[in-house]
Amino acid sequence: MRRLLIIVLASVYGCLYGQQEGLLSQFMYNGALLNPAAAGSQPYWTASATYRKQWLNFDGTPSTQFLSVEGPWKGKKIGLGGSVINDVIGVSRRTDVDAFYSYHLLIGKGYLSMGLRGGISHYSSRLTELTVWDAGDANFGADVRGKIIPNAGTGVYFYLDNFTAGFSVPNLLSHKSGTPISIALSNIPQYQRHYYLHSTGKIKAGEKFFVKPALVFRYVDGAPAQCEVHIAGSYRDLADLGVSYRTGDGLIFITQMNIMKKLRLGYSFDLPLSGLSGYTNGTHEVRLAWLFGEAADKLGVPSFMGN
């Protein structure tokens, strides 16, 4: 019964809120996915793949795959990139394909960048596969097949060598079934606009040790605001080991290590402290990132492989 309840809730959530952004526990390593203005903020290019599976032990729970590439173009002034995000919740599936553009201005010792994000979402839902209590309910009488929706977003981002801060709205457009694209949010339960405020830091704590705090604040109309606070320790930038607390949810244990000079491997485990804690083994998220380009060739970051 509990499994069936979760499946139905997840499926209805996917139907009503299909435009909701995919959740990332390793947000501090995925800046451009959170904010298009972060594209090109590093001197090298990064290609990354992330897989996230939520709420183990339940059928039909969210599963998300993220692919992204981003980096600088023409020195430090322009950042480019793109992403593909596939999000499956119960019988609902949403695939986003987006491109990023950012422009970077030197402000004192740091940079201020402004970014744009644009693309499309492909949404589908196999509603007829659900078991419903009210036979003939029109809301579940037909599948949603191949619905394509345009997206556009923006963000601002300020960064120094050891500090970043940004604000983004990845999807500015709202949509309601049967109506044209709209920028109005009132009375539109589908595809709500999300707001992100985020920051990261790096503090030297000895000759070879660093402390790396991070913060993200998420808000969407119709849901409780959520704050995630993260703290990690790092040895020579060889490996990070940290923990996060997500309000209304639980603890997250995160690690990232340099397998080779240009290869990064990240893993996080979400431990729920909410009402789900007695029914699920948590959430797994794995990230693999490859650094490339001329600047990546010159990196002196140590690795477990000794290069």
Side-chain angles (χ1 to χ4, degrees), residues 78-188:
I78 295 174
L80 298 176
S83 68
V84 178
I85 302 174
N86 183 57
D87 196 22
V88 180
I89 306 176
V91 298
S92 298
R93 178 187 297 271
R94 170 193 166 194
T95 302
D96 294 345
V97 180
D98 290 290
F100 310 141
Y101 171 85
S102 62
Y103 189 80
H104 303 249
L105 297 171
L106 181 63
I107 305 292
K109 296 182 179 180
Y111 287 87
L112 178 66
S113 63
M114 293 151 283
L116 297 173
R117 166 179 167 174
I120 59 171
S121 291
H122 181 273
Y123 178 75
S124 63
S125 187
R126 306 184 309 276
L127 299 178
T128 55
E129 295 183 10
L130 293 174
T131 300
V132 297
W133 282 270
D134 296 326
D137 190 332
N139 291 318
F140 300 94
D143 293 340
V144 178
R145 298 184 180 275
K147 186 172 184 179
I148 296 178
I149 302 168
N151 288 326
T154 188
V156 293
Y157 190 68
F158 178 77
Y159 59 100
L160 302 162
D161 287 341
N162 297 320
F163 174 79
T164 74
F167 174 77
S168 65
V169 189
N171 286 292
L172 288 168
L173 303 178
S174 290
H175 307 270
K176 185 176 182 180
S177 179
T179 64
I181 298 170
S182 172
I183 61 172
L185 292 179
S186 59
N187 300 319
I188 300 179

Side-chain angles (χ1 to χ4, degrees), residues 21-22 34 166-170 194-198 216-219:
E21 299 294 320
L34 200 64
F167 174 77
S168 65
V169 189
H194 286 60
Y195 302 88
Y196 295 92
L197 184 65
H198 57 96
V216 62
F217 178 82
R218 306 178 181 94
Y219 175 76

Side-chain angles (χ1 to χ4, degrees), residues 13 110 114 202 261 284:
Y13 181 88
M114 293 151 283
K202 184 178 180 181
K261 184 172 71 172
H284 295 283

Side-chain angles (χ1 to χ4, degrees), residues 1 5 13-14 23 31 40 50 52 71-72 74 96 129 137-138 149 189-190 222 246 270 286 290 292:
M1 181 62 183
L5 179 61
Y13 181 88
L23 185 65
T50 303
R52 178 180 177 86
K74 295 185 178 180
D96 294 345
E129 295 183 10
D137 190 332
I149 302 168
Q190 301 106 322
R246 181 182 296 145
D270 296 21
V286 180
W290 177 256
F292 62 98

Side-chain angles (χ1 to χ4, degrees), residues 24 26 29-30 33 45-52 65-69 255-260 262-268 285-292:
L24 274 170
Q26 299 177 61
Y29 305 119
N30 290 279
L33 286 175
W45 282 76
T46 301
S48 68
T50 303
Y51 175 79
R52 178 180 177 86
Q65 300 84 45
F66 303 82
L67 296 175
S68 69
V69 60
T255 184
Q256 178 182 254
M257 60 189 71
N258 301 328
I259 302 301
M260 297 187 294
K262 300 179 186 178
L263 187 64
R264 308 285 186 265
L265 175 64
Y267 169 76
S268 64
E285 183 180 295
V286 180
R287 177 180 182 264
L288 192 65
W290 177 256
L291 283 51
F292 62 98

